[in-house]
Amino acid sequence: MELEHLWQSTLSEVELQISRPNFLTWLKNSRLTHKQDGVVFVSLPNNFAKEWVENKYNKIILSVLRNFDESTKKIEYVVENKNSSGHSATHTKQKSSDSFDIKFQQSFAELKVDPETNLNPRYTLKSFVVGSSNELAHAAATAVIKDVGKKYNPLFIYGGVGLGKTHLIQAVGNEIKKEYNNKIKVKYVSSEKFTNDVIWSIKNKRTEDLKEKYRLTDVLIIDDIQFIGGKAATEEEFFHTFNSLYENNKQIIISSDRPPRFIPTLEERLRSRFEGGMIADIGFPDYELRMAILKTKLQNRGANLSDNVIDVIASKVQKNLRELEGVLNKILFVQTTKNVELSAKQAEEIINESFQQPVKNVSSTQVIKAVADYFEVDINSLTGRCRKNSVAEPRQIAMYLLRELLGMSYPSIGEKLGKRDHTTAIYAYNKLSAEIEKDQNLNQKIIAIKDIINKE
Ligand code: ADP
Ligand code: MG
């Protein structure tokens, strides 16, 4: 296997096993320079990175490398010589993508996910607007904060897509952290992440580390548990972790898109455990809640829309608060660009446009082609394993759009775009969904690409 390809494949595996910010900080600028007598030489930008990677990631990297190339005996890390000629050539070529790259890293800083707890501080109880559809879940969440591990254990929150589950359970974690001065250890994990951790630890015979990692926590929050069902090893591990936490009065908080009895593959013993705690659902928001959320978001942003426009949005977007926010963003965006106050009619047109599902007849190939056209990149580099910075953004946007417009499953998105793991697709989708809110530039790109798709 060619060296560059070998290293790229290795990196994409490693990326899944260490946290994304760590990956970007330590490994993104690494290169496999050469290989000699089974020793693989990897260059890193500075001494600090060299020590860090050597101490923390060597084991993981080596085991992944060996998977691809059995003849690998060890890795030698070297500090890259900036003046080496072959190198600068690759860098100048990617000038235009560098600015994106910087933005990309900054946006991670903005997301500010706490590396200890995995919680995003933007989710607070204060910013969670309560209405009749979520008041039970909210009350249960508040009770858990007051009486961690004792009253409602586990707390099981379920409801449809975009109704506020992640927001609420992360808010509980953030409040507990704040209220108890970090004395109570909180950990938030998506069920994909949990599943990946389990699979990895079994494969690498490191299940003890895994147990420790999860069992030493006081509050374990697992998002979208429905994805765990049916994976025997994961379920088994989850069950043990669950029992051990439960018996020690540690708090468990779970979200799901449906109640436990409707997760078909969930083992009976897990199901009855879940049912032994507090189960609360979040339903569709009524008009009042939708209005209240829109007004709060406008206020938080210091933005203004006329009452008529707010009313149109609240009336037309009914079933998904993420969409509600998306429409709000789009309308604010148009208003700012045009620099006039939008009328209710104009707002309605914008909403109709966003919900006009031209996409029904659109194929994934068309979406990918539109992205490639817009960014002027080669379709093959989007759908291949190319790791060039210049295709990183286009590929993430393509992932986002395949999900957003076609509702494609994450595994098939990953497969289509470079045979990547489904977690990469999930990651891209979540990241872009969050960024679109804040980044007008990105928002504009997406709108432009959708236009290309519509015109085809
Ligand atoms: P889910 O996890 O159920 O799919 P999320 O928690 O991701 O949904 O919510 C989708 C979006 O709607 C998020 O941006 C979230 O902050 C917002 N949201 C949901 N419920 C509320 C609420 N009650 N008040 C304010 N914002 C909310
Ligand atoms: Mg969620």
Side-chain angles (χ1 to χ4, degrees):
M1 203 184 320
E2 195 195 315
L3 289 184
E4 190 185 334
H5 181 55
L6 170 66
W7 190 234
Q8 279 171 8
S9 314
T10 305
L11 284 181
S12 33
E13 279 283 320
V14 171
E15 185 180 342
L16 300 176
Q17 298 186 16
I18 69 181
S19 80
R20 178 80 193 169
N22 270 331
F23 177 80
L24 288 176
T25 312
W26 305 114
L27 290 167
K28 203 174 59 84
N29 294 319
S30 61
R31 286 192 315 137
L32 198 172
T33 55
H34 59 291
K35 196 181 154 196
Q36 200 172 16
D37 305 328
V39 182
V40 166
F41 292 82
V42 171
S43 85
L44 291 163
N46 53 51
N47 257 318
F48 193 57
K50 173 178 177 286
E51 263 180 48
W52 191 272
V53 172
E54 225 160 31
N55 292 331
K56 293 200 67 150
Y57 303 124
N58 182 51
K59 227 172 167 171
I60 297 177
I61 300 173
L62 189 61
S63 90
V64 174
L65 249 180
R66 280 197 183 129
N67 252 344
F68 290 115
D69 179 0
E70 280 175 11
S71 69
T72 308
K73 292 200 192 88
K74 66 179 278 205
I75 306 172
E76 229 19 283
Y77 298 92
V78 290
V79 177
E80 168 182 350
N81 177 2
K82 280 257 155 53
N83 303 323
S84 77
S85 59
H87 211 151
S88 47
T90 44
H91 275 269
T92 38
K93 223 172 58 198
Q94 294 172 2
K95 201 154 192 258
S96 65
S97 60
D98 276 357
S99 65
F100 166 69
D101 210 45
I102 293 162
K103 240 174 61 202
F104 189 61
Q105 298 238 24
Q106 277 169 348
S107 63
F108 272 105
E110 267 168 37
L111 290 174
K112 275 196 295 213
V113 171
D114 178 336
E116 270 291 300
T117 59
N118 282 330
L119 290 167
N120 186 329
R122 106 179 169 93
Y123 295 118
T124 61
L125 271 195
K126 208 167 144 240
S127 62
F128 189 84
V129 185
V130 184
S132 57
S133 55
N134 59 20
E135 100 198 299
L136 176 66
H138 177 264
T142 317
V144 162
I145 297 166
K146 288 214 186 82
D147 214 348
V148 181
K150 303 204 180 81
K151 200 161 187 180
Y152 295 137
N153 206 9
L155 171 63
F156 191 104
I157 305 279
Y158 74 91
V161 177
L163 298 181
K165 303 180 297 293
T166 298
H167 187 139
L168 186 61
I169 61 176
Q170 289 223 17
V172 174
N174 280 320
E175 293 301 321
I176 291 177
K177 243 182 68 183
K178 203 169 78 195
E179 192 131 322
Y180 299 90
N181 251 337
N182 288 332
K183 281 191 193 113
I184 296 188
K185 270 180 101 175
V186 181
K187 200 168 233 356
Y188 167 89
V189 67
S190 66
S191 69
E192 277 96 1
K193 170 86 174 71
F194 185 80
T195 307
N196 281 342
D197 277 3
V198 171
I199 293 170
W200 186 84
S201 73
I202 293 172
K203 211 167 101 188
N204 293 281
K205 306 199 168 47
R206 297 264 289 272
T207 47
E208 282 312 308
D209 293 5
L210 179 89
K211 287 191 176 98
E212 206 150 290
K213 174 168 167 189
Y214 286 106
R215 290 183 198 175
L216 283 181
T217 178
D218 301 307
V219 178
L220 182 62
I221 304 174
I222 304 196
D223 209 352
D224 289 321
I225 194 89
Q226 72 273 6
F227 294 127
I228 275 189
K231 294 171 187 148
T234 329
E235 233 184 78
E236 190 66 32
E237 189 51 45
F238 177 71
F239 187 72
H240 291 312
T241 308
F242 181 98
N243 275 343
S244 142
L245 290 168
Y246 184 80
E247 277 153 19
N248 291 298
N249 290 330
K250 306 288 179 79
Q251 179 71 48
I252 298 149
I253 301 168
I254 294 164
S255 87
S256 166
D257 67 348
R258 63 200 99 164
R261 65 176 181 286
F262 290 129
I263 306 178
T265 45
L266 198 68
E267 253 190 71
E268 196 47 46
R269 53 185 186 165
L270 260 181
R271 188 172 316 168
S272 60
R273 274 276 149 117
F274 290 169
E275 282 171 352
M278 169 74 184
I279 301 183
D281 76 318
I282 300 186
F284 290 126
D286 56 16
Y287 175 79
E288 281 71 32
L289 180 59
R290 301 196 300 269
M291 279 299 265
I293 289 178
L294 287 171
K295 288 189 170 160
T296 317
K297 306 244 168 208
L298 281 170
Q299 208 175 22
N300 291 345
R301 260 171 242 180
N304 256 319
L305 285 174
S306 74
D307 281 349
N308 288 342
V309 170
I310 304 177
D311 170 69
V312 166
I313 307 174
S315 313
K316 296 209 99 183
V317 189
Q318 301 180 345
K319 298 218 157 140
N320 184 327
L321 294 171
R322 195 172 294 128
E323 275 174 20
L324 191 76
E325 266 189 89
V327 166
L328 177 68
N329 288 331
K330 186 161 177 186
I331 286 176
L332 277 177
F333 170 71
V334 176
Q335 178 160 294
T336 320
T337 336
K338 290 196 172 157
N339 210 7
V340 286
E341 190 166 282
L342 289 185
S343 67
K345 189 159 175 292
Q346 287 169 309
E348 197 166 346
E349 278 164 16
I350 296 172
I351 298 171
N352 288 343
E353 264 169 41
S354 352
F355 286 99
Q356 218 183 46
Q357 301 277 347
V359 280
K360 268 195 201 111
N361 306 321
V362 169
S363 68
S364 57
T365 318
Q366 277 168 294
V367 173
I368 295 170
K369 183 169 179 302
V371 174
D373 285 349
Y374 178 82
F375 284 103
E376 297 181 325
V377 295
D378 190 347
I379 291 188
N380 292 334
S381 61
L382 273 186
T383 54
R385 293 198 61 92
C386 169
R387 288 189 73 93
K388 274 198 199 132
N389 285 333
S390 53
V391 296
E393 180 184 35
R395 193 184 280 128
Q396 285 200 327
I397 289 183
M399 287 181 167
Y400 170 82
L401 286 172
L402 288 177
R403 179 71 183 181
E404 183 79 2
L405 300 177
L406 305 179
M408 257 171 84
S409 77
Y410 291 123
S412 36
I413 294 174
E415 177 68 26
K416 273 240 165 339
L417 294 167
K419 296 208 186 326
R420 270 142 223 277
D421 192 90
H422 66 287
T423 50
T424 310
I426 293 172
Y427 174 80
Y429 180 75
N430 288 341
K431 175 170 165 283
L432 291 204
S433 310
E435 261 170 33
I436 284 169
E437 285 172 27
K438 288 175 271 158
D439 187 344
Q440 297 271 304
N441 241 330
L442 176 65
N443 203 0
Q444 199 170 20
K445 285 179 197 167
I446 303 232
I447 293 170
I449 296 167
K450 283 184 182 166
D451 280 344
I452 299 180
I453 299 171
N454 283 337
K455 285 191 190 106
E456 264 179 10

